[in-house]
Amino acid sequence: MTSAGTTNAPGADPAPSLVERVTALYHDYAWAVDDQDYDALRGLLIPDVRLTANDWEAEGVDDFIATYQRLLAGLAGPCRHLISNVRANRSADGVIQTGAYFQAVFHAESAVRIQTGRYRDVHVETPAGLRIVHKRIEIDPTHTLKSLT
């Protein structure tokens, strides 16, 4: 695949669109969170990243990572994210506003928690690729299912 800004030879894969690149960033985010790979997650953020969700906030990469560590610490099993319906729009000043639906399933000791909602994020181009500037999570009501085991 070629990088954005290069000319493609006939028959070559076209450069990925902004939505494709944002989708790839969302996929990297989901895998990092689900695997609790905080180094990978840190690599997707700018140093002064902001996190805003229904009832919590974080400022800066260390606070962002610590928030995720706290939220995922008590899981007895896997966490799985599904992200879809990705949208992206670049403003004249280069800021990229994105949105997507998500479903997250959290396996705890005695129950499974299912969350749905929307991401309404801000991304920016860096020499290393797209990075998260502001992660905004709008969480719908959470559903909890008792474990059958």
Side-chain angles (χ1 to χ4, degrees), residues 35-119:
D35 290 344
Q36 296 184 37
D37 184 344
Y38 299 112
D39 289 333
L41 184 58
R42 181 179 299 274
L44 303 175
L45 312 171
I46 66 166
D48 58 345
V49 65
R50 291 183 57 214
L51 171 64
T52 307
N54 290 26
D55 57 354
W56 32 270
E57 291 191 19
E59 295 270 347
V61 68
D62 291 334
D63 194 23
F64 188 108
I65 297 295
T67 299
Y68 276 75
Q69 288 172 324
R70 272 192 316 278
L71 292 170
L72 300 174
L75 297 181
C79 168
R80 296 292 180 256
H81 282 75
L82 175 66
I83 301 171
S84 66
N85 296 39
V86 176
R87 293 180 168 195
N89 183 41
R90 186 189 314 264
S91 65
D93 62 358
V95 174
I96 302 165
Q97 301 283 340
T98 69
Y101 296 143
F102 75 88
Q103 179 183 34
V105 179
F106 304 93
H107 295 267
E109 204 51 49
S110 62
V112 174
R113 214 172 65 238
I114 301 171
Q115 289 181 340
T116 60
R118 290 184 183 203
Y119 296 136

Side-chain angles (χ1 to χ4, degrees), residues 76 107-112 145-149:
H107 295 267
E109 204 51 49
S110 62
V112 174
L145 307 173
K146 289 186 177 184
S147 177
L148 299 176
T149 59

